[in-house]
Amino acid sequence: MTAQPRENLTGLDIRTEIDRLRNERNAVILAHYYQRPEIQDLADFVGDSLELSRKAAATDAEVIAFCGVKFMADTAKILSPQKIVVLPDLDAGCSLEDSCPPDKFKAFREAHPDHIALTYINCSTEVKALSDVIVTSSSAETILSQIPESQPIIFGPDRHLGGYLNRKFGREMLLWPGVCIVHEAFSETELLKLMAKHPGAPVAGHPECPPHIIDHCTYVGSTSGILQFAKTFEGDTLIVATEPHIIHQMELAIPEKTFIGAPGADGNCNCNICPYMALNTLEKLYVALRDLQPRIEIAEPLRLAAKKSLDRMLEMASGTVGMGDLGAMPFRAAI
């Protein structure tokens, strides 16, 4: 059941209460770049999904409060089985995870027994357990470059990321037909209009974008990679083709520059706000820390099976996973 405030919280100083519970619970609060600014600002760490889980695992925290979506909190539990992991709203899902049901993915694998499964981290724990290697948007290229061209590959669940890798490396991976509803919403027509208003401004995009958006990008990379590009590009204006809440971190890091979210079909970036990420609120975070619910639980055999594909990724590309993530606040590291 989704965590909801059980009483009227009007008048309660939510931020103060979250800080109190953070200390009492010995909790670490994680926020993905796509969370609301007020959640990013109070988090111990802000970053990409896997790197957040790895950072939390390296602390002595007993509780992980993951402000993101469910597959991210599941990953945190896979890497930190001894810790309590809570997600403010269990309905915070992912269109990519939803597009790839484990039973259908299993059947797809069985229909192509000569293929290995290179699977994007935006998937369920069950699909991770059915995969050979998990990849992130920052590690996918390094991992793919290590796999012989003669080896047939299934790539899922994001067909746009898989297609981008196919085009860049001249591969012919068999693509699962999933998409991210946020990155699918960008409009090429509106992007071209915006580029015309800001001639010379580079465009930084996420590889989950469809090809007609990627073709106009100066830089293509993970959310952390886009942040690094924002710090180093020449000029004073950057157009950003990913979920617009990442702009908050850009404005904190480089306040002297201007960052503009790429538009959707309606001419603005509002339709590109992730509806799943938006389900998390400060009030729900407070309740999750107070009640330690909703809690992520994964059966041990499933956890271990899923961890194998994550471990294989870390072995192949540990130096590229989550590079450039920003830590919003210092936190105690486990000794």
Side-chain angles (χ1 to χ4, degrees), residues 120-315:
Y120 192 29
I121 196 168
N122 296 37
C123 65
S124 67
T125 301
E126 290 80 5
V127 168
K128 287 181 176 67
L130 291 167
S131 301
D132 295 294
V133 188
I134 296 300
V135 302
T136 64
S137 50
S138 59
S139 67
E141 295 188 15
T142 297
I143 290 173
L144 183 58
S145 68
Q146 297 175 53
I147 300 174
E149 293 186 12
S150 59
Q151 173 60 58
I153 300 171
I154 289 170
F155 188 92
D158 192 305
R159 66 181 173 89
H160 290 320
L161 175 57
Y164 170 76
L165 293 169
N166 273 346
R167 294 189 301 275
K168 183 166 184 177
F169 287 90
R171 303 297 285 251
E172 295 182 358
M173 293 188 295
L174 187 59
L175 307 181
W176 186 268
V179 296
C180 168
I181 58 173
V182 170
H183 294 93
E184 184 84 347
F186 291 118
S187 164
E188 182 181 24
T189 299
E190 295 300 327
L191 176 59
L192 289 171
K193 290 179 183 178
L194 185 60
M195 293 171 68
K197 291 180 182 178
H198 302 276
V203 180
H206 196 283
E208 290 178 25
C209 291
H212 60 264
I213 299 299
I214 293 293
D215 288 346
H216 299 290
C217 291
T218 309
Y219 174 83
V220 179
S222 66
T223 47
S224 55
I226 290 172
L227 278 170
Q228 290 303 306
F229 179 78
K231 291 181 176 182
T232 58
F233 81 97
E234 295 183 1
D236 56 11
T237 301
L238 177 65
I239 298 171
V240 182
T242 190
E243 214 275 359
H245 282 125
I246 193 176
I247 291 176
H248 179 61
Q249 289 296 326
M250 294 177 177
E251 291 173 340
L252 289 175
I254 320 104
E256 67 275 12
K257 294 191 176 184
T258 299
F259 303 99
I260 305 171
D266 61 354
N268 62 60
C269 65
N270 290 339
C271 64
N272 301 321
I273 293 175
C274 178
Y276 301 107
M277 292 281 188
L279 290 174
N280 295 309
T281 64
L282 291 180
E283 289 77 13
K284 291 176 184 177
L285 173 59
Y286 161 72
V287 172
L289 285 171
R290 185 191 69 189
D291 299 347
L292 296 181
Q293 294 287 344
R295 193 177 300 196
I296 301 296
E297 301 288 358
I298 302 174
E300 186 64 3
L302 175 61
R303 186 191 73 83
L304 291 174
K307 188 173 182 292
K308 286 182 180 179
S309 60
L310 284 166
D311 288 343
R312 196 167 289 123
M313 175 193 66
L314 295 173
E315 292 168 5

Side-chain angles (χ1 to χ4, degrees), residues 15-200:
R15 292 196 59 149
T16 298
E17 288 300 301
I18 288 173
D19 283 335
R20 177 181 65 81
L21 288 168
R22 176 184 355 222
N23 292 327
E24 287 183 3
R25 301 294 196 193
N26 188 21
V28 60
I29 298 174
L30 310 178
H32 190 269
Y33 291 126
Y34 296 166
Q35 288 293 290
R36 307 163 191 257
E38 60 266 29
I39 292 179
Q40 294 186 39
D41 289 345
L42 60 75
D44 294 294
F45 298 114
V46 180
D48 277 334
S49 60
L50 178 61
E51 188 62 14
L52 287 173
S53 293
R54 295 178 74 197
K55 287 178 177 177
T59 72
D60 63 3
E62 299 173 71
V63 175
I64 299 171
F66 207 129
C67 298
V69 296
K70 187 175 182 297
F71 83 81
M72 299 178 183
D74 287 349
T75 301
K77 187 65 176 179
I78 291 169
L79 297 185
S80 299
Q82 77 284 7
K83 300 179 188 290
I84 294 171
V85 179
V86 295
L87 181 69
D89 194 320
L90 272 184
D91 288 336
C94 172
S95 59
L96 283 169
E97 178 179 349
D98 293 344
S99 76
C100 192
D103 58 337
K104 293 185 178 180
F105 187 73
K106 183 175 185 291
F108 191 65
R109 288 221 60 184
E110 291 172 349
H112 301 89
D114 58 333
H115 287 59
I116 63 170
L118 199 65
T119 308
Y120 192 29
I121 196 168
N122 296 37
C123 65
S124 67
T125 301
E126 290 80 5
V127 168
K128 287 181 176 67
L130 291 167
S131 301
D132 295 294
V133 188
I134 296 300
V135 302
T136 64
S137 50
S138 59
S139 67
E141 295 188 15
T142 297
I143 290 173
L144 183 58
S145 68
Q146 297 175 53
I147 300 174
E149 293 186 12
S150 59
Q151 173 60 58
I153 300 171
I154 289 170
F155 188 92
D158 192 305
R159 66 181 173 89
H160 290 320
L161 175 57
Y164 170 76
L165 293 169
N166 273 346
R167 294 189 301 275
K168 183 166 184 177
F169 287 90
R171 303 297 285 251
E172 295 182 358
M173 293 188 295
L174 187 59
L175 307 181
W176 186 268
V179 296
C180 168
I181 58 173
V182 170
H183 294 93
E184 184 84 347
F186 291 118
S187 164
E188 182 181 24
T189 299
E190 295 300 327
L191 176 59
L192 289 171
K193 290 179 183 178
L194 185 60
M195 293 171 68
K197 291 180 182 178
H198 302 276

